[in-house]
Amino acid sequence: MSEKPLHFMPTEGFRERSKAVVENEFLQKSFRAAMDFLMTKRAAQFPDADELESLRRLGERIRQNSLDKLPALLTQLETNLTRNGIHVHWAENADQANAIILDICKKHGAKRMVKGKSMVSEEIEFNHAAEAAGVEAIETDMGEYILQLAGEKPSHIIMPAIHKTKQQIAKLFAEQIPGVAYTEDVDALIQIGRTVLRQKFLEADIGLSGVNFAVAETGTLCLVENEGNGRLSTTAPRVHVAITGIEKVVEKLEHVPPLFSLLTRSATGQAVTTYFNMISKPRQPGEKDGPEEVHLVLLDNGRTQPYADEELRKTLQCIRCGACMNHCPVYTHIGGHAYGTTYPGPIGEIISPHLMGLEATATLPSASSLCGACGEVCPVKIPIPDLLVRLRSEINSKPGSGSPLQGQGAGYSRLMTAVWRGWAAIYANPAFYRLYSWLVSRFNWLTPAGQGGWTSVRTPLRPAPKRLRDLLAERE
Amino acid sequence: MRRTDSPHPGVASRPDGGSARDRILARLKAAQAGGRYPTPAAGEWYGPRDRNESPAERARRFQANMEAARAEVYRVNDGNWVEKLREILAAKGLTNLLLAPATPHGRLARQGLTGGAVACLAYDRPIEAWKPALFNDVQASLTAARGAIAETGSLILWPDADEPRLMSLVPPVHIVLVDAGTIHATFFDALQAENWAAGLPTNALLISSPSKTADIQQTLAYGAHGPKELVVLLKEVA
Ligand code: SF4
């Protein structure tokens, strides 16, 4: 399985990638249709605005409680998992996480891995590390499987292959899977995937999965899914490795039902998913299946950075439902790949700067009109627009003057800062402002026709020949 | 490939002692305000929900929600469920059924099916001893559910030594026997009433429809990786 490694440097080429998608009429229509579909389905799940609001408030409180007690809850989770017989590992970055998982593979002589859907495994680019180590890692979520065949990355965190049409998938299957004839019938395509992957589940010696919620109180890993590949990946092989970000823990088991309900309804507009899978132990004596060994890898990879700041910490409340993408006008126009990050859309714009540093992500917080839709739909009430504004000022402030965010000041420009200082001085002083406004209105013919980025897609800004105060004076 | 120069201060693998665990926890503790939020009680939100409905209404709601998610639901009782099972197997043209002969319902089903067209199979050895046969030959399985949830139309299963985890997952048709008296209003009610927090099994499951996916152009297709058909025998007092 050869995959083209993609460079994670979102800032480079962001404009070009976005432009290419925006100018592709076909993609514009299909993204629009897909997002409308998801938005309608979500709305149908929340007919009662009061119920939605009170449930979101509860979701927010549960997540804030988790973060508030995070170090204690992680320790409690570790204690309870260990007591249950699950091995716990800690990784500070992608390299450490990959090394831990590949080490487990090596210990068991495991060469064939089946993977349930895990965005964290995308974040650490596990598949490349596995390939280099000679481990065949097969994606088994239908969307992820399609992308693995195509050598592409997910463009949406819930619907990874949302950018692909059934015609493209039909062609891909016919070309890549031996003995498969071209068919555009979706049921037939899914059955082809099922048949190929069943064999993989049968043969695999290790399974990898993500985690949706980790319950500290009981030492339980919860997985949400529709296909059954998550259950198979965590049950059929002899060894199961789960990987998750350190923020995914919740304190109590009773915190799970409200979050689960918010997640499925916000993500795909389902009252519930097909499966909710709660794993607390490896195979016990007398039990006839299930992995003999279960491992959990807890990943930091930059998450402790927003944790240190009270405002930015809210970023970690996220339950990865993808609703903010579905409702984002920018995402709907440029699609997930343009962002160049594992997590696209509004959540990507607020989390990627911490995972990758602000140098690599300086353009992302500006890829938003600040319309507020993301914050309005977020099931755990993350104030996404506020966080975007905060990150913009971290990026544009003078290096060393802001908080200790990695890459703070990456977009700092002396000229820009001077211009805004001047603007502020003029607008703060009535006499300056009167003089300035008189000058720009009387000399408006001097306004340049080319105004940089503004006029690249818009008509030039030209001050009116008379100011409001002039017009009012004339009326008297 | 990913950049190897980690963007995170103090995160690049440093030989300065301490484990990754200690360093992560130290960073969190250094930043933590702590103790500002009382532990939220989900019960306050679930409290007033659907507690007053009659058992019959609750069963109806459960059935409607399951059927909306493409499960087949049949009302049965102690006296007729095996007969219904036989009918369903015949109608679907199935010739074998995986069941748990050590359980009361498994024993009854086996007795009822003996001599018919359906061969009864038992999950009586570890998976390693018969994995290919389970994946390739078994057409259907029968398990019990521990309970159910009306609000979302979900079955609750706690797989065990008699009815292992793969039994409800690998065979293309999954038939579930559930007692109407075990239907809870919500997921929250189920885990509170049965005090799940006091001890969870190896694996606890909610199943709410046949396996499905919408990963190709948002088109819903059933039978992704798990059962293509989910049949519920909803057992009421006769
Ligand atoms: S930020 Fe909110 S809306 Fe976006 S994925 Fe996370 S939880 Fe969902």
Side-chain angles (χ1 to χ4, degrees), chain A residues 39-233:
Chain A
M39 285 195 283
T40 311
K41 282 195 72 188
R42 173 190 172 274
Q45 280 297 330
F46 294 112
D48 178 347
D50 293 338
E51 192 248 27
L52 168 61
E53 191 48 32
S54 61
L55 186 56
R56 284 174 78 219
R57 251 199 320 267
L58 176 61
E60 176 191 30
R61 286 204 343 260
I62 290 173
R63 291 299 300 136
Q64 285 180 339
N65 176 66
S66 299
L67 296 174
D68 194 42
K69 301 173 183 160
L70 190 56
L73 293 183
L74 285 170
T75 319
Q76 188 190 6
L77 176 71
E78 179 184 48
T79 307
N80 286 332
L81 285 170
T82 310
R83 185 204 59 211
N84 293 352
I86 294 177
H87 304 270
V88 179
H89 310 262
W90 302 69
E92 292 179 280
N93 55 30
D95 292 342
Q96 286 178 16
N98 284 325
I100 290 166
I101 302 170
L102 291 170
D103 214 50
I104 299 168
C105 292
K106 202 165 153 200
K107 211 179 93 205
H108 290 275
K111 291 273 171 220
R112 289 166 301 184
M113 172 186 279
V114 279
K115 289 181 69 195
K117 191 170 167 336
S118 156
M119 287 309 295
V120 173
S121 83
E122 297 280 349
E123 177 187 329
I124 63 172
E125 303 217 301
F126 174 77
N127 291 3
H128 297 312
E131 194 180 321
V135 173
E136 181 198 52
I138 301 288
E139 298 288 352
T140 64
D141 171 88
M142 289 294 179
E144 295 272 359
Y145 172 64
I146 291 163
L147 296 183
Q148 191 171 36
L149 285 179
E152 291 176 23
K153 286 179 168 294
S155 67
H156 189 283
I157 61 172
I158 300 287
M159 314 276 276
I162 201 154
H163 59 284
K164 285 220 147 348
T165 63
K166 63 183 175 191
Q167 289 79 8
Q168 291 170 325
I169 295 164
K171 191 159 165 277
L172 184 70
F173 276 20
E175 282 169 8
Q176 299 274 333
I177 308 172
V180 163
Y182 183 94
T183 170
E184 288 180 11
D185 182 84
V186 171
D187 282 310
L189 290 169
I190 294 297
Q191 289 315 305
I192 294 166
R194 176 182 172 108
T195 309
V196 172
L197 293 169
R198 277 227 144 188
Q199 197 57 32
K200 299 291 179 190
F201 286 123
L202 178 58
E203 292 165 357
D205 28 37
I206 189 163
L208 185 79
S209 78
V211 175
N212 292 94
F213 317 110
V215 186
E217 176 182 34
T218 54
T220 302
L221 309 176
C222 303
L223 277 79
V224 177
E225 60 151 340
N226 281 316
E227 295 186 359
N229 66 310
R231 282 180 69 199
L232 278 163
S233 301

Side-chain angles (χ1 to χ4, degrees), chain B residues 86-130:
Chain B
R86 204 167 27 215
E87 270 175 39
I88 293 165
L89 293 169
K92 295 186 184 295
L94 298 167
T95 57
N96 67 39
L97 177 71
L98 183 65
L99 46 71
T103 61
H105 56 272
R107 196 164 42 241
L108 283 173
R110 190 162 68 169
Q111 274 165 17
L113 294 171
T114 314
V118 178
C120 293
L121 312 169
Y123 202 144
D124 52 7
R125 63 228 127 149
I127 181 63
E128 288 73 20
W130 71 301

Side-chain angles (χ1 to χ4, degrees), chain B residues 7-238:
Chain B
H8 313 306
V11 172
S13 10
R14 291 184 318 200
D16 63 349
S19 63
R21 174 187 187 278
D22 295 343
R23 284 194 296 271
I24 293 170
L25 285 174
R27 279 199 291 276
L28 293 176
K29 280 182 187 149
Q32 193 195 11
R36 277 172 306 167
Y37 302 96
T39 302
E44 286 164 23
W45 193 81
Y46 283 95
R49 291 163 74 86
D50 313 319
R51 290 275 162 67
N52 294 325
E53 68 186 345
S54 70
E57 279 170 58
R58 189 168 292 178
R60 259 198 304 278
R61 210 151 59 95
F62 164 73
Q63 176 168 3
N65 283 329
M66 287 241 73
E67 284 173 344
R70 235 329 155 109
E72 294 168 40
V73 183
Y74 301 95
R75 299 285 186 126
V76 295
N77 58 47
D78 266 324
N80 70 7
W81 73 266
V82 178
E83 183 51 40
K84 189 77 210 173
L85 173 68
R86 204 167 27 215
E87 270 175 39
I88 293 165
L89 293 169
K92 295 186 184 295
L94 298 167
T95 57
N96 67 39
L97 177 71
L98 183 65
L99 46 71
T103 61
H105 56 272
R107 196 164 42 241
L108 283 173
R110 190 162 68 169
Q111 274 165 17
L113 294 171
T114 314
V118 178
C120 293
L121 312 169
Y123 202 144
D124 52 7
R125 63 228 127 149
I127 181 63
E128 288 73 20
W130 71 301
K131 209 175 193 175
L134 173 62
F135 273 74
N136 299 324
D137 305 337
V138 177
Q139 297 170 6
S141 64
L142 170 73
T143 74
R146 172 194 173 86
I149 299 164
E151 184 176 59
T152 51
S154 307
L155 298 157
I156 302 170
L157 270 75
W158 283 21
D160 57 16
D162 290 322
E163 294 181 342
R165 295 164 70 173
L166 291 173
M167 193 164 165
S168 58
L169 180 58
V170 176
V173 179
H174 179 207
I175 303 168
V176 190
L177 188 63
V178 61
D179 208 317
T182 63
I183 305 175
H184 296 272
T186 65
F187 181 21
F188 175 82
D189 283 271
L191 56 83
Q192 287 296 99
E194 299 175 2
N195 194 15
W196 288 21
L200 278 165
T202 304
N203 183 218
L205 279 173
L206 304 186
I207 299 178
S208 305
S209 77
S211 150
K212 62 180 185 287
T213 184
D215 272 356
I216 299 181
Q217 256 184 263
Q218 300 96 56
T219 309
L220 193 56
Y222 287 90
H225 293 290
K228 299 176 186 185
E229 294 174 58
L230 178 64
V231 181
V232 180
L233 300 176
L234 181 55
K235 201 169 64 160
E236 294 164 297
V237 184

Side-chain angles (χ1 to χ4, degrees), chain A residues 165-470:
Chain A
T165 63
K166 63 183 175 191
Q167 289 79 8
Q168 291 170 325
I169 295 164
K171 191 159 165 277
L172 184 70
F173 276 20
E175 282 169 8
Q176 299 274 333
I177 308 172
V180 163
Y182 183 94
T183 170
E184 288 180 11
D185 182 84
V186 171
D187 282 310
L189 290 169
I190 294 297
Q191 289 315 305
I192 294 166
R194 176 182 172 108
T195 309
V196 172
L197 293 169
R198 277 227 144 188
Q199 197 57 32
K200 299 291 179 190
F201 286 123
L202 178 58
E203 292 165 357
D205 28 37
I206 189 163
L208 185 79
S209 78
V211 175
N212 292 94
F213 317 110
V215 186
E217 176 182 34
T218 54
T220 302
L221 309 176
C222 303
L223 277 79
V224 177
E225 60 151 340
N226 281 316
E227 295 186 359
N229 66 310
R231 282 180 69 199
L232 278 163
S233 301
T234 58
T235 313
R238 278 180 298 130
V239 184
H240 166 212
V241 183
I243 178 162
T244 189
I246 48 173
E247 79 279 20
K248 287 283 178 74
V249 65
V250 295
E251 182 177 356
K252 299 273 183 199
L253 189 62
E254 66 168 78
H255 292 163
V256 167
L259 290 182
F260 176 43
S261 179
L262 281 168
L263 174 60
T264 64
R265 293 202 274 171
S266 304
T268 48
Q270 291 176 275
V272 67
T273 45
T274 299
Y275 301 117
F276 187 67
N277 182 9
M278 310 172 77
I279 298 166
S280 300
K281 295 171 198 166
R283 186 190 305 196
Q284 300 297 293
E287 291 180 350
K288 302 189 186 85
D289 61 20
E292 278 145 18
E293 242 181 73
V294 180
H295 297 261
L296 174 69
V297 181
L298 291 165
L299 178 70
D300 177 349
N301 204 32
R303 287 164 174 78
T304 42
Q305 174 173 290
Y307 188 80
D309 181 288
E310 199 176 330
E311 182 181 30
L312 298 171
R313 182 181 293 184
K314 297 185 200 297
T315 312
L316 301 175
Q317 285 166 215
C318 177
I319 55 171
R320 300 282 189 272
C321 72
C324 53
M325 299 170 200
N326 304 343
H327 291 75
C328 177
V330 176
Y331 177 91
T332 305
H333 280 97
I334 68 176
H337 284 154
Y339 295 83
T341 49
T342 302
Y343 307 97
I347 177 59
E349 291 159 18
I350 58 170
I351 189 74
S352 308
H354 305 296
L355 307 183
M356 305 164 73
L358 283 169
E359 299 96 336
T361 55
T363 50
L364 293 185
S366 302
S368 164
S369 65
L370 298 180
C371 72
C374 49
E376 240 165 66
V377 295
C378 177
V380 289
K381 293 174 82 81
I382 301 176
I384 302 173
D386 296 349
L387 297 180
L388 289 171
V389 171
R390 166 73 189 276
L391 289 168
R392 289 181 187 183
S393 54
E394 294 285 349
I395 290 164
N396 293 310
S397 57
K398 195 170 176 187
S401 61
S403 61
L405 296 192
Q406 182 65 27
Q408 178 267 326
Y412 174 71
S413 144
R414 206 183 286 255
L415 176 65
M416 181 86 83
T417 308
V419 168
W420 284 114
R421 277 233 180 89
W423 183 87
I426 290 167
Y427 275 65
N429 181 316
F432 279 170
Y433 181 73
R434 213 172 302 135
L435 176 64
Y436 163 80
S437 58
W438 187 85
L439 284 170
V440 296
S441 55
R442 293 326 183 264
F443 291 91
N444 70 344
W445 48 273
L446 282 176
T447 321
Q451 296 172 354
W454 180 264
T455 40
S456 69
V457 286
R458 299 176 195 85
T459 50
L461 289 171
R462 195 181 290 279
K466 285 178 184 170
R467 303 170 296 175
L468 180 63
R469 67 173 77 211
D470 301 328

